[in-house]
Amino acid sequence: MESISLDVFRYHVPFTEPLRIGTVVHAYRDGLLIRITKEDGRLGWGEIAPLPGFSTETLDEAHAQVLTIRDSLGNCRSLKEYFLDDELLASVRYGLELAYYNLCADKRQTALPFLITGTPRTDLTLSALLPADGEDAATQAARLMAAGCRSIKLKVGRGDPEHEAARVRQLRDTVGPSIEIRLDANQAWSMAQARAFLHAISGAQVSYVEEPLANQSRLEELACLTTVPIALDESLVSLSSDNLVRHTYAHAVILKPTLIGGIQATVDIAARAQSLGMQAVISSAFETGVGLLGIVALGAAVNEEDVPVGVDTYKFFARDVLVPQLDLGFPQVRLAELFAAQYKVTIDELVHL
């Protein structure tokens, strides 16, 4: 049996300003960091951070499960045995897998993406995130264009569908035809509202609209009534890769490993989606730099084409648990430079559990 110790830490990291995530405004991001250490001193860090309103588990539930795992290591079960446990919570599985992958990367002296696939991409395009609240989207978009941005994701669904559609059309007029526009409604609308919105943006050339319906069981019906592509996000939380064949009406799947259950689950669902003609988009769920490095690695591993990755949530953190903070090189990040940096976790700012 492998000899591994596991330490659990809690973090409480402020956002730059109060941020609406789903229907709740948050001033901080709370989560857990785990550190696994082998007898030879090699270690790997992972992050367990259920996203309130989106994850099926709470942080307290994840905390309780990882402490149970910690207390069982070295007595009756190895860490890798837990990866096969169907009872493992999604965020806990991601944290454990990420820590183990990072431990293996340390041992083999290689970068994390190479442990997921032998031929990762060397660079990634990043998609900018524009929240529904705050500064005018067109003003932000103009600034992003000047920085070389090629993909923008706009949050919608907070106001009247006609008003939201006008924002989208204004955004398209600002950025012109060459910039990708993605939309995310976070299951905000009724069927009537969604149909009105999609009809009003039909000429805006958006790549897709994520989860436009509060009733996700009617997504296929909606997809048959519009020419605007639909993407799955929240619906994937309870969906296995085997069941994707029932959802081929969707243009894309938005894969967040914290929500869908870890690194291997993300790889499996991405491969299945691509085999069905869907685009696999890797995205964050407001993880700190520890979890975000895993998401960047997945973005480099699962797509041969340059599909923009959604990690712009990082800009909303007032500080990070990593030193130095990640240099994502927006709007494009070079993987060799990102993973060559010597990151350290600021343990003195964490609570050791």
Side-chain angles (χ1 to χ4, degrees), residues 9-15 28-34 45-51 94 98 258 284-296 311 313-326 328 345-346 350:
F9 304 85
R10 187 156 184 161
Y11 69 74
H12 183 68
V13 178
F15 291 125
Y28 293 86
R29 183 70 164 110
D30 292 299
L32 305 173
L33 297 182
I34 59 172
W45 285 91
E47 179 169 358
I48 299 172
L51 187 61
Y94 177 53
L98 180 58
T258 288
S284 68
F286 289 91
E287 295 87 355
T288 68
V290 171
L292 213 60
L293 281 172
I295 292 161
V296 171
V311 293
T313 51
Y314 192 59
K315 69 184 179 185
F316 296 109
F317 286 91
R319 57 179 174 81
D320 194 12
V321 297
L322 289 182
V323 176
Q325 293 193 25
L326 303 185
L328 294 176
V345 175
T346 55
L350 306 175

Side-chain angles (χ1 to χ4, degrees), residues 275-318:
S275 74
L276 295 170
M278 303 175 181
Q279 187 180 70
V281 180
I282 306 299
S283 188
S284 68
F286 289 91
E287 295 87 355
T288 68
V290 171
L292 213 60
L293 281 172
I295 292 161
V296 171
L298 280 162
V302 303
N303 283 306
E304 293 183 5
E305 299 180 356
D306 188 13
V307 178
V309 175
V311 293
D312 203 29
T313 51
Y314 192 59
K315 69 184 179 185
F316 296 109
F317 286 91

Side-chain angles (χ1 to χ4, degrees), residues 330-345:
F330 187 87
Q332 194 167 59
V333 58
R334 297 195 177 280
L335 275 297
E337 296 175 6
L338 181 68
F339 285 94
Q342 299 297 311
Y343 301 107
K344 292 186 178 180
V345 175

